[in-house]
Amino acid sequence: MHFISQDLEDYIEQHSEKEPPLLAALNKETYQKILLPRMLSGHFQGRVLSMLSKLIRPMNILEIGTYTGYSALCLCEGMQENGQLHTIDIKEELVDFQRKHFDKSPWGKQIVQHLGEAVDIIPNLDLKFDLVFIDADKENYLNYFELILPKMNKGGIILSDNVLWSGKVLEPIHPNDISTKILVEYNQLLKDDPRVETVLLPIRDGLTVSRVI
């Protein structure tokens, strides 16, 4: 997922906001204890998520794909005082790990964890969202988008991660590669759908920002 040199990536991090101590500790513990730590948003993308949230000032946030909770805490940095973040994941073994770090933050009581399949949970969330971050199984990105859109406030923002998929979106698609096929379709949908306006940013593995019209 590295599209620029490591030296440039280091320079970008050094000239962006510092990683807060709470998130640095979460980052470190994820790499020490959890499988596939590269799934973590990390310092630079985390500061991007934080900045976008601070610009949006959301009341209600939805995150699909919690992992160890790093991106959730970044998104909370811009949340309104009485807001809530709802985050969904299927991995029961990570729930206590997430909660430990959530409760160390100022937003512990405002973060609601949901365990299970997002396609089953989203329809039962009786809320309107100002900000959504999609970072879960790629095969369901199209489904997530259609489930989320009716629950978005006008002008709300949908962020979609991994949309460049390590550059695979430009390569011939293997018949068994469902994830790449869906991501190609998803990127085209966001480009063409009149219900949103979209810009795709070459941040890390690709981050799409879609504004609900």
Side-chain angles (χ1 to χ4, degrees), residues 49 52 56 58 60-64 75 85-86 88 122 125 127-135 144-145 147-149 151-153 156-161 186 207-210 212:
L49 296 177
L52 289 171
I56 297 162
N60 291 316
I61 304 171
L62 174 62
E63 177 184 55
I64 305 172
L75 295 168
L85 181 142
H86 291 256
I88 305 170
I122 293 169
L125 295 176
L127 290 167
K128 285 283 191 176
F129 294 100
D130 306 298
L131 177 59
V132 173
F133 182 42
I134 304 175
D135 186 18
Y144 295 150
F145 179 76
L147 288 171
I148 288 164
L149 208 55
K151 295 180 178 291
M152 295 295 298
N153 284 318
I157 299 294
I158 300 171
L159 304 174
S160 309
D161 201 15
Y186 182 71
L207 180 70
T208 298
V209 181
S210 301
V212 178

Side-chain angles (χ1 to χ4, degrees), residues 26-68:
L26 172 52
N27 195 334
K28 182 177 180 180
E29 189 172 353
T30 298
Y31 272 84
Q32 288 173 337
K33 299 180 179 179
I34 308 298
L35 291 174
L36 302 174
R38 69 193 292 268
M39 289 172 59
L40 193 86
S41 288
H43 175 190
F44 174 59
Q45 183 170 331
R47 291 305 85 205
V48 172
L49 296 177
S50 169
M51 182 66 78
L52 289 171
S53 184
K54 288 170 182 172
L55 291 169
I56 297 162
R57 296 292 293 147
M59 175 61 75
N60 291 316
I61 304 171
L62 174 62
E63 177 184 55
I64 305 172
T66 315
Y67 190 47
T68 56

